[in-house]
Amino acid sequence: MQRRRFLGLAAAASALGLTGALSGCGTLSGETGDVTLKLVAADYDLAGGDSTKKYWAGVVSAFEAKNPGVKVQVQIESWNDVDRKVAELVKAGQAPDIAQIGAYADYASAGQLYSADELLSIRVQANFLAPLVAAGENKRTQYGLPFVASTRLLFFNEGLFEKAGITAPPTTWDELAAAARKLEKKGVKYPFALPLGPEEAQAETMMWLLSGGDGYTDATDHYKIDSDANIRTFEWLRTHLVAEGLTGPVAPGKLNRKEAFAAFARGEVGMLNGHPSLMQEAAKKGVKVGKVALPGASGKARATMGVADWIMGFKQNGHRKEIGAFLDFAFNDENVLKFAGDNGLLPATITASASMESDPAHADLREFLQALPDSQLPPVGKTSWARVSGAVKENIGKAVAPDAKPAEVLGRIAREATAAENAE
């Protein structure tokens, strides 16, 4: 399967004429005059260092050497501040030329962004993985350019599994519950950590909706949060995990992802849904991490959840050609692979994904890479998503309380989602 997946990515790159062809992109032809681009980017260095700053300094230096008429000023902001900082700049009429942040839909809807067609060469635009292209669209036009990506897998503590006599990771919900019972009998603090607290509940929820065979939206891209399948999913969680005391001492509605991940790294969690950076943190603390595709109700989940961060070009200063040239350059394989590899994340492009998957140095990311082409992302292209996501964060934990009626909780969220969608 691993070999077939790599060949599939490589074949896609070859068919699109991308193999070995991206290194030359990002050079302006002719005189453009002296232009200074402003780039605001998020800081990915979890250790508080300057690796993100150094990365962009290297990209800018190489780009400016090829394009002597263009300078790029880079402003790095923490993830706690970057979206707010960009919003303030835009509101003040001082939009950056390029922003690398968490969301793009509001700016696209307001007509403030260049589309991908207006910025990128055909080769670069065709090189994005299909699920990420779809997630970057607002009203069927791509404005959000996927900068880096991630997927989710079921993580399990191999040492705790061995002590509990669990010989194979679960592939179905019933097997997951059975494994959690064995872990609980061995005194594991969190047999299955279920973080439905307000920090990141919308992501944990989507993973479970997908594993139950549905999701946030239907085939026509309208919200369907209280579908029969979604209700069954939360009824199962409430009955077979939470009510049986298999989710640990903190109620899921009060357990945040950060706390759950920290507990996993301390060796206190048997299983949870995780992403690549957690794998690295847990390994540093001596936890041997196993990882498999998310179990579904009766087999492998129909899709895993994908996540992307976005980069975009603003129209305000009119530097379309220069922005496009810089982004073409930023998306060459060398740059994409360096940033993704340095940060334990996944490339957003076909050619870089194929290259990373074939590289023994990134063997620990192969399962994530294999899941990405078929992943499903949250409906981030809808301007209503911010409000809907907030409603999920605030309320979804109530759906698994011991005396809860999941249909009522999901129904309330669904009505708010419909109202937000109608107001788009």
Side-chain angles (χ1 to χ4, degrees), residues 246-270:
L246 302 177
T247 54
V250 180
K254 295 184 178 179
L255 181 65
N256 283 323
R257 184 183 67 172
K258 183 177 181 180
E259 296 159 0
F261 280 16
F264 186 86
R266 292 194 300 267
E268 298 173 353
V269 175

Side-chain angles (χ1 to χ4, degrees), residues 8 42 89 98 102 116 120 140 244 247 255 365:
L89 289 169
I98 304 167
L120 301 177
R140 302 182 182 276
E244 290 194 31
T247 54
L255 181 65
L365 293 175

Side-chain angles (χ1 to χ4, degrees), residues 343-402:
N343 291 282
L345 294 167
L346 308 182
T349 64
I350 296 169
T351 52
S353 293
S355 178
M356 179 177 277
E357 191 171 344
S358 67
D359 186 348
H362 297 295
D364 58 347
L365 293 175
R366 281 179 183 151
E367 292 95 336
F368 297 98
L369 286 161
Q370 290 162 5
L372 185 57
D374 299 319
S375 65
Q376 184 171 325
L377 279 74
V380 293
K382 298 167 74 69
T383 56
S384 57
W385 174 238
R387 178 176 165 186
V388 175
S389 175
V392 173
K393 290 179 180 181
E394 183 178 351
N395 296 294
I396 199 65
K398 301 170 187 175
V400 296

Side-chain angles (χ1 to χ4, degrees), residues 170-215:
T171 60
T172 68
W173 286 357
D174 287 345
E175 291 177 5
L176 186 148
R181 293 186 197 103
K182 291 181 180 180
L183 291 162
E184 193 270 337
K185 287 179 181 178
K186 289 295 183 180
V188 174
K189 188 173 182 179
Y190 294 90
F192 187 93
L194 183 65
L196 294 175
E199 177 199 353
E200 196 73 7
Q202 84 288 353
E204 185 74 16
T205 296
M206 183 168 179
M207 285 181 264
W208 282 100
L209 298 185
L210 290 172
S211 68
D214 213 332

